[in-house]
Structures are given as C-alpha cells and as structure tokens.
Amino acid sequence: MARLTAARRVARLFGMTAAIISVPAFAQDASAPQAAGEAATNNVTTQEIVVTAQFRAQKLQDTPLAITAVNAAVLEARGQTDISQIAAQAPNVTLRNQPQSGGIGLIAFIRGIGQTDFNYALEPGVGIYVDDVYIPTLSSSLLDLMDLERVEVLRGPQGTLAGRNSIGGAIKLFSKKPTGEGGGYLQATYGAYNRIDVRGMADFKITDTLSARISGATKNTDGYVKLLDYGLAHPNSNVRANNAKGDGIERGTLGGRSFSAARIALRWDATPDIEVNLAGDYTRERNDSGAQVLLFAGGPSTTPEGIPWLTGKDGTAVPLNNAFVPYSTRFQQSGSTTPAGYNPKFINYANFLDARTPTSQAPYKPYSATNGQNFDGWGVTGNVTAKLADNLTAVWISSFRRYKMSFGFDQDGSPIPVAQLDNILRHRAWSQELRLNGSFLDKRIEYTVGGFYFDQNGTYNARVDLNYAGIDFIHGPDSTPSTSKALFFNGTFHITDAWGVTGGVRHTWDKKDYTYFRSNPDGTIPGPLPCEFFLGAPTAGPTGIGNSPNCLLIGLYNVTGQFKGTRTDWRVETDYRFSPEVFAYASVSTGYKAGGVNPRPFFGPSAGECSALPPGVLAPCNQIKSFQPETLTTYEAGIKTDLFDRKLRFNASAFFNKYDNIILTLTRCPAAPCLLPANVGKAEVWGLEGETTIRPVEGLTLDGTVSYLHFKYTDTGTTGVPLGNVTPFTPKWNWSAGAQYDYKTGAGSVISARFDGTYQSSMYTEAFNAATNLVDGRFLGNVRLSYTSTDKTWQLSAEVQNVFNKYYYNTVEDVKGPLGVITANPGLPRTWAVSVKRTF
C-alpha cells in the first residue's frame, strides 16, 4: 500500500479520536465555562486551570496545544514531590533520574525525543523552565516541586514559543507569587528507609505594596541498595576482605539522599501598571552515589600481559564473572549466595577502589573513587511586567544561575577495578528575555514579539580510570562557553468568536566552543611522541607495558572544537470552538536541537582516522568529530471537550513527526571506549494521546491518560543503527488511572482516599537496541489516605508507594561489549510514609 502523506495520516488519526466524542458533545445543553483562574464551585465539575503556554493567560481548554497541566492541589493529592514523578500522568512523556554514571540530574524524553548525556557539549531535547527561565543542563534538572502554583507539560516542538532545545516539548514549573495575605504551612513526613522530610512556607506583607514569600524543603532518606564487602560476605572465595572500618560486611549504601532547598520571593506593586517580582533560591545535596545493581559480569580482568586488576588470596587474577551478580536476571544466573538478612535484589559488591599493582604504563595506582553525589546551586530571577497601554504590556525576564556538582561511580559494580570515575561539573548561565504582548481591533488580533539572549559556560573535570581501555587520566577542565540569541513573534487572528488562526516564527543564532584538556593524574601532559607501539616497539598493543602512560591521548590538550549555526522555526495553527463544550485545533510546527562536537574523544589525532581502518577492524582512531543540529516538523490535530455539565473532560491529540538528523550517543564504534554523539539518521513518528477527568458523583474523581507511539527509522546512513530500532526511552504504550474519593463528615472534616496506577511498556536505553539494554514494562500502584480538619488547619496523611512491591529497573546500562558488565538502577521497593501538615 502506498505510504500515506503526513496530512492524510494526521487526518485519519484525528478522525478516530474525534468520532469517540462527537455524538455526546452535541447532545447536551451548552453551559458557560468558569472564569479564568476560578476553582470549581461544585466538586462534581472539573476545575479550570489557566496556562501561559502562548505567552498570555488562557484556559487549558482554550489552548491549541497538546498540554498536560496540574496544579498544586493535584500534586499534593498524588504525593508527588519532584519533577521526575510528573511523567506518570503525562502521555508520551518519560522522565528518569540519571543512573549512577550520570550524577544528579534528569533524563527527559517526549514523543521519542530527548537526551541522556549530562555533558555540556550536548543539548537537552526537552526544555525545562522554572518561572519562564530556561534550565539548560540535565545536571540541574532534577527539580523539587516546592511551593508551586502549577506544572505545564507541553508535547511537541515548542520552537517558536519556548525556543532552543525544546524540540520534543517543554516542562514548565511556575512558583506561587507572594500575595501579602499572610499565612503559611509546615509539614513533616517520616517513612521507610528513615525518610524524614520537612516542608514549609510563609507569606507576609512588608508594606502596602511589597510582599514576601519564603519557602523551604528538606528530604532525607537512607540508601536502599546495600554495599557489601564481597571478601567478608564470601570468606571461602578468592577475594580478599577490604573493609577498613572493620564493622561487618557492610561498606555503605547506594541511593541515599540528603536534600535541602530554600527560596525567597518578593513582589512589588510599584504602580498600578508595574509589577516587579524578584526571587532567589539555593539547593544543596549530599547524597550516596546512585542506586545500582549488577546484572551481568563476564569480561577481561588483567592487563594485556596478564597482570591482575584484582589479585586474589592465592596470587592469581580474580575473574570478572557471575560470582558478583547477587540476583539472577534474564542476562545471567547468579553465581553467589546471598548473606543472611539481605535481599539479593538490592545488593552491590562494588568498592570504588583500584588497588592494582602499578606499572610503568599505569603508574597512578592505587586510586579510590568517591561514593557520593554533591550539588550546590543557586539562582536569582527578576520579572518586570509593565502595562504600557490598555492593549500593550511589556515583560522583562532576567536570570543568573550557578552550580557545582561532583559525583563518583564504580561502573562495573564489582570489587574488580574495571572502571571507576570521579566527576566535577561547574556551570553558570545568564539569560535575558523581553516580550511585548499586545492586541488591536478589539482583541481580534493578539500578538507577542520579543527577543532572547542566553550566555552560559561550563567546565567538566574528571579522574577517568579505565583499566579495560588501558588509560587512566584527568579529563579537563574542559570548557564549553556558548551563546544563543533569538528574535520571535507569535500572533493570533480571531476571525470570528469561534475561529482563530495563529502563526509564529523564531530565528536563532547559536555558537558553542569546546576545549579539550587531557593530562596524566600527576599533572604531566601525554607525549610528545606517539605510543611506542606505533614506533615499532615490541609491546602488547598501545596500552601494554613499554608504552608511555596515556599515550593514546596525545594531541588532546588545549584543542578547541566549535559549532556555529542559525535556525528559523515556525508554527501555523487554526482552531475552532464548535460549542462551549468542544474545541478543536490543527497545527504544523518545527523545532530543532543544536549541534556540537564530541566531548569524549578517548583517542586523539595521533591514533589515525577511523575512516582509514579496514571494514570490521576494531582499533584506536581519532574520535574528534562534530555533529549537526537535529530538526523536526510536526503535524498535529487535537480536540478538547467538557461534557455532561463539565462532569467529563476528555482531551485527545494525534501527531505525525518528520524527524531528521537525529542526535544519539553511540556506544559501538571502531574503538573502545566509545561515547560518540552522532547524527544517526531520519525517522517518521506518529502517535495518539488521550486524557480524561471524570466526576460522576459528588466526592468521586476519576482521571486517566493513555498514549501510543510508533517510531520508524527511514534512514540511518553509515552508523550501523538498524532500521528496526527506536530512540532510547521511547515506550510504545503509556497509560495511567487514578481514583480519589473525598468523604465529608458531619462535622465538616474531610477523609480522602486515592489510588494511582501507571503502566509503561518496555523500552530501550541505548541507540543500538538489544535485549541487554531493554527495560521491561511495568505497572506501579500508589495509595494515599488523608484527613483534613474542619477548619482546614490540620492534615494527616499516610501513603504507600509501589504498593504491589514490583521489582523493576528505571534504567539499564549496557557496557557488556567494552567492560563486560550490565548494570541497572532499580526502583524503590514498597515504601510507606506518614505526614502531618499544619496550615496557619
């Protein structure tokens, strides 16, 4: 059958969803929706949420975008406290905490588009915004949901509305502004794994025109993966005990967290027409390294000459095998017994230590990586809104942010020192945005015109100890200064009261430099001569004894790569309100993600060009490579309805994407190690999304979402990525279902019970899909019970997360090829918590 055109395909998908609701939509009487910002006055109707996705306040049901919006009350009812939890109720959205090797941060994908790598050389594919300020890096994007008014999740390219790197969509967090009305709250939580959370807020008036709001949060939990000393836990093995503390077989934990944050906001009504909002925030984290378990082990454990990486009790090399896999998986059967009193699903035998015998080629031993993740970040934001005329308003948004993050990881998850690293990232960002929002012809035409300037710089330092690759060096400080400038316009023409047409355009100028520095751990620079192996010395390859340390890195010191580019994105949309209950739209829009250069060339120019290698030959070669921007064109149609006197809300969207120059990080190259960003090809993607809220009777609320995504590569060039693969973190199916019942007692207090269930089908975590990087599908359930006093000043609640105690993985890292291991980040088992909240 001939391939459907993009327009026909979207029309067919849209018709399928429209048919579901078209009959009841016109079979009822019209009822006017509530005014903007009002809460529902009757708890059997759906609340109205006001969003600003198109630069002006609009009701969610009047906004011609695929958007999920939730307010603070919904977040509290679900017990959600950080941004990664939002994805459970947003169609075609995948948010995951970074694995241990990614530190503190977020993996974000929307409709199969996103980014996994925290390195500053790569741009996110999903834009994260806090109070309209762009958060440019994954390493600062694991944001606590503290004192929020609402969260907006926009699906599809936001190139004209949100700008750069929102090609997949955008997630926008909006904080509550000071009101000066007084009041606040204090909430304390205790739960499993010694969880202790405290949250609080106070809002007060300083003068008649100046108000302040102070909020803070702290979250503390013990780690849920136990680090055990393998030698002590298995005294009959060949592994030596290595617990310097001498306090039993436990060496510590993974996954523990100690988080604290504070925010102060000021609101100054300078004149009746000028409002000034200033805010400052600070975040501090002192965590364990990320939770990790070993799923497979089977690789090298000696130098090319046979020198052990880990010497056993009998003087021989301890092999890397399933003896260190505590729990049988689909990858490998466990080869060890579990010490009494421990759950094999949550055990790790890593020791973060490389104590191998030094050699002339690897003289920088021993070395111990850090079991920990630290983060210190702060920022200031200014927002000035000035009414210049009855139909013209100016908005100026200014921000400066800075952070430092450090984290260590043991990539092999075993006592054998295959790979261990310490990382330090420093970053600062400064942004300015100016908008003019106006209208004329009695608001028949509404528009926004503006400009955006963004300047950032980050440095990345690391001790990179890779015995499997024969290198042990200092990475950095690599610097990544970049700037982005943009001009944009968005306008809507209301042809009639029911019919509107919107157009937008944004032109962007990007520039980014990346400067490489590679040195030995003692501060010396490798070289100047190539590896002795390449000069004819009889060594066991370029990493064998007889070569200079890290000689493969020659030529990677104070070398700068650069990316420069311009891009024009556009959007055309039309919408029509058929009745007070039914609103429909269709749009075509574009987006892009900036290009760059490979930040991790493990081999420099001295290793020769990869293209010169014979086909199928694996050998060191030059990995300094650039990649071009990826681009997207999306055809979308959607419908939004409020039916049966607003007791039923049903929204649906269908889309078709033309996705070009897809940027993914490749882990299969002519030489290992390899983490090579590249343009892997083109794809066609289509999908369906639905969201509903139902209030059938007083006190009962039902909500649900469902999404389906079909991804198909049409070209992958010479990358070797099979056409049948899909992008990482792209499940085919997502759905969620929630139910809440609020019972009002005779005394006026309220008892609420809520259940939330979410399902996500299987997905892959690498560009090259394989069973070794497959994350199985899973269904998770959470329950929450709360009591609110008659005067609403006290609230008691109890919750159970993962109520069915499902064992699952958030991410899987497949480095079986180069390292001989597969690791995973396990989700938390069943946990419980109780909370007390006092409102004043």
Side-chain angles (χ1 to χ4, degrees):
M1 184 175 64
R3 179 181 296 174
L4 293 173
T5 64
R8 288 177 60 200
R9 190 171 300 203
V10 170
R12 179 171 294 182
L13 296 174
F14 179 66
M16 293 164 57
T17 56
I20 298 173
I21 49 82
S22 57
V23 174
F26 292 99
Q28 60 181 301
D29 294 332
S31 60
Q34 288 177 269
E38 287 185 8
T41 57
N42 184 335
N43 63 3
V44 296
T45 61
T46 304
Q47 287 189 350
E48 192 63 76
I49 297 178
V50 175
V51 299
T52 55
Q54 295 194 120
F55 302 130
R56 64 182 186 274
Q58 292 177 286
K59 298 174 186 177
L60 175 65
Q61 296 300 90
D62 291 336
T63 305
L65 293 167
I67 177 173
T68 299
V70 293
N71 58 23
V74 174
L75 294 173
E76 182 176 31
R78 293 172 176 164
Q80 295 174 333
T81 60
D82 74 63
I83 193 174
S84 67
Q85 298 169 327
I86 296 174
Q89 283 83 23
N92 275 325
V93 177
T94 301
L95 302 180
R96 291 284 188 272
N97 294 351
Q98 285 279 354
Q100 187 184 99
S101 60
I104 301 171
L106 187 71
I107 294 173
F109 276 74
I110 295 180
R111 292 179 174 176
I113 301 169
Q115 181 56 259
T116 61
D117 198 332
F118 64 84
N119 195 287
Y120 301 139
L122 290 93
E123 304 289 346
V126 175
I128 308 293
Y129 296 80
V130 178
D131 296 327
D132 279 330
V133 172
Y134 177 55
I135 307 298
T137 72
L138 295 176
S139 295
S140 58
S141 296
L142 188 57
L143 304 171
D144 184 76
L145 304 179
M146 182 176 68
D147 200 25
L148 290 183
E149 176 186 281
R150 69 184 186 280
V151 178
E152 300 176 9
V153 182
L154 287 67
R155 301 184 297 278
Q158 307 299 314
T160 60
L161 297 172
R164 68 197 302 262
N165 305 328
S166 296
I167 180 173
I171 300 173
K172 297 189 172 185
L173 284 63
F174 294 91
S175 307
K176 290 182 179 179
K177 295 180 180 180
T179 64
E181 297 175 354
Y185 72 87
L186 184 65
Q187 177 177 313
T189 300
Y190 181 78
Y193 294 101
N194 232 7
R195 173 184 170 185
I196 301 176
D197 297 356
V198 178
R199 292 172 172 271
M201 180 277 296
D203 189 302
F204 53 93
K205 180 179 291 187
I206 299 175
T207 69
D208 289 341
T209 59
L210 181 62
S211 302
R213 190 178 184 97
I214 299 174
S215 53
T218 178
K219 299 193 288 188
N220 300 271
T221 59
D222 292 342
Y224 60 99
V225 173
K226 297 290 187 180
L227 276 175
L228 303 184
D229 186 306
Y230 187 88
L232 288 176
H234 301 84
N236 296 324
S237 71
N238 195 32
V239 178
R240 302 175 190 273
N242 190 37
N243 193 332
K245 296 181 180 179
D247 55 358
I249 65 174
E250 291 191 22
R251 293 181 51 84
T253 60
L254 299 173
R257 191 180 187 200
S258 177
F259 164 94
S260 57
R263 183 177 185 270
I264 181 170
L266 300 174
R267 179 176 179 176
W268 178 38
D269 296 312
T271 73
D273 295 328
I274 299 177
E275 179 183 309
V276 180
N277 285 276
L278 300 174
D281 63 85
Y282 173 74
T283 301
R284 181 182 188 271
E285 296 200 46
R286 296 294 185 268
N287 307 335
D288 293 340
S289 289
Q292 178 204 68
V293 292
L294 183 62
L295 307 183
F296 175 90
S301 56
T302 67
T303 68
E305 298 82 11
I307 299 174
W309 294 345
L310 179 65
T311 303
K313 298 175 184 176
D314 63 2
T316 64
V318 176
L320 180 64
N321 58 29
N322 68 341
F324 305 112
V325 178
Y327 177 69
S328 296
T329 69
R330 69 171 185 270
F331 307 111
Q332 190 174 48
Q333 292 296 306
S334 173
S336 66
T337 57
T338 302
Y342 292 93
N343 186 341
K345 298 178 180 179
F346 299 98
I347 287 177
N348 187 302
Y349 292 115
N351 59 13
F352 292 79
L353 177 65
D354 180 1
R356 56 169 283 201
T357 303
T359 68
S360 60
Q361 190 275 336
Y364 311 109
K365 317 293 182 178
Y367 161 65
S368 179
T370 303
N371 173 13
Q373 300 175 338
N374 296 333
F375 182 92
D376 291 276
W378 60 273
V380 291
T381 302
N383 184 308
V384 179
T385 301
K387 184 177 180 181
L388 306 180
D390 289 342
N391 61 349
L392 183 63
T393 301
V395 179
W396 172 54
I397 303 168
S398 178
S399 174
F400 181 84
R401 303 198 64 81
R402 183 185 294 274
Y403 72 80
K404 175 185 177 182
M405 181 177 72
S406 61
F407 65 98
F409 65 95
D410 187 323
Q411 194 169 11
D412 52 81
S414 77
I416 298 178
V418 183
Q420 39 281 317
L421 296 86
D422 275 306
N423 305 265
I424 300 176
L425 293 93
R426 295 178 173 87
H427 186 269
R428 61 101 183 132
W430 181 67
S431 65
Q432 301 289 311
E433 183 167 351
L434 179 64
R435 304 173 188 165
L436 291 175
N437 298 322
S439 65
F440 51 91
L441 298 180
D442 195 24
K443 293 191 176 180
R444 188 65 70 184
I445 295 178
E446 298 179 293
Y447 67 89
T448 299
V449 62
F452 174 77
Y453 178 79
F454 185 78
D455 182 292
Q456 66 174 334
N457 193 6
T459 60
Y460 176 31
N461 267 84
R463 171 71 182 268
V464 183
D465 180 15
L466 307 179
N467 282 321
Y468 75 93
I471 50 180
D472 178 9
F473 64 96
I474 299 297
H475 174 121
D478 288 8
S479 62
T480 319
S482 69
T483 59
S484 182
K485 296 172 282 188
L487 297 174
F488 56 88
F489 170 84
N490 192 76
T492 299
F493 177 28
H494 301 282
I495 301 172
T496 69
D497 289 344
W499 182 20
V501 175
T502 297
V505 63
R506 178 183 290 247
H507 187 77
T508 304
W509 296 263
D510 285 325
K511 179 183 178 182
K512 176 185 289 186
D513 293 338
Y514 194 99
T515 302
Y516 307 96
F517 290 92
R518 303 291 182 269
S519 59
N520 295 319
D522 63 359
T524 59
I525 302 172
L529 296 177
C531 296
E532 285 77 356
F533 172 77
F534 296 127
L535 299 177
T539 66
T543 61
I545 295 176
N547 291 284
S548 301
N550 299 311
C551 57
L552 285 173
L553 303 178
I554 293 172
L556 289 175
Y557 194 87
N558 200 21
V559 176
T560 299
Q562 186 178 86
F563 168 80
K564 293 179 68 175
T566 62
R567 167 75 180 182
T568 300
D569 281 312
W570 53 269
R571 176 174 180 260
V572 178
E573 177 273 336
T574 185
D575 56 74
Y576 193 83
R577 178 161 288 284
F578 292 94
S579 70
E581 296 81 21
V582 181
F583 174 82
Y585 69 92
S587 66
V588 182
S589 56
T590 68
Y592 87 107
K593 181 167 68 176
V597 295
N598 177 23
R600 297 187 185 91
F602 291 97
F603 311 111
S606 65
E609 291 303 316
C610 300
S611 58
L613 293 174
V617 172
L618 303 181
C621 58
N622 181 18
Q623 294 180 342
I624 299 180
K625 306 292 181 182
S626 63
F627 51 93
Q628 299 305 306
E630 69 177 28
T631 61
L632 184 76
T633 302
T634 292
Y635 305 84
E636 181 175 312
I639 194 163
K640 300 188 176 187
T641 67
D642 281 312
L643 311 175
F644 306 113
D645 196 24
R646 300 184 70 239
K647 292 182 175 66
L648 167 64
R649 171 170 292 178
F650 178 76
N651 297 343
S653 58
F655 65 90
F656 176 78
N657 289 345
K658 298 285 287 185
Y659 191 15
D660 296 337
N661 279 341
I662 301 169
I663 300 171
L664 295 177
T665 299
L666 303 181
T667 55
R668 300 183 186 179
C669 306
C674 170
L675 289 171
L676 180 67
N679 299 107
V680 302
K682 304 177 180 180
E684 293 182 350
V685 187
W686 63 267
L688 294 168
E689 299 162 344
E691 300 177 86
T692 188
T693 302
I694 307 171
R695 298 177 184 267
V697 296
E698 184 174 351
L700 178 62
T701 303
L702 307 174
D703 59 77
T705 65
V706 63
S707 61
Y708 175 82
L709 187 141
H710 180 271
F711 185 102
K712 177 64 178 177
Y713 279 115
T714 58
D715 179 23
T716 56
T718 61
T719 62
V721 175
L723 291 176
N725 283 194
V726 300
T727 47
F729 295 95
T730 304
K732 184 171 289 187
W733 286 99
N734 280 289
W735 60 264
S736 70
Q740 179 169 325
Y741 186 74
D742 301 315
Y743 173 73
K744 190 172 184 178
T745 68
S749 59
V750 176
I751 299 173
S752 300
R754 182 173 180 88
F755 172 81
D756 285 291
T758 61
Y759 173 79
Q760 187 170 79
S761 62
S762 60
M763 63 184 184
Y764 298 95
T765 62
E766 304 282 349
F768 290 95
N769 301 168
T772 50
N773 59 67
L774 178 70
V775 176
D776 292 327
R778 80 288 189 278
F779 176 82
L780 301 177
N782 303 322
V783 295
R784 192 170 190 267
L785 183 68
S786 65
Y787 166 83
T788 304
S789 64
T790 304
D791 58 4
K792 298 182 180 180
T793 59
W794 287 96
Q795 185 182 78
L796 307 177
S797 63
E799 66 180 46
V800 178
Q801 301 282 320
N802 191 5
V803 66
F804 304 117
N805 204 27
K806 174 70 174 179
Y807 185 63
Y808 66 99
Y809 303 129
N810 290 309
T811 59
V812 173
E813 284 196 280
D814 174 18
V815 284
K816 181 180 177 182
L819 274 72
V821 300
I822 303 171
T823 60
N825 168 236
L828 276 163
R830 181 192 296 124
T831 60
W832 60 270
V834 293
S835 299
V836 179
K837 182 178 181 180
R838 176 72 165 94
T839 302
F840 54 88

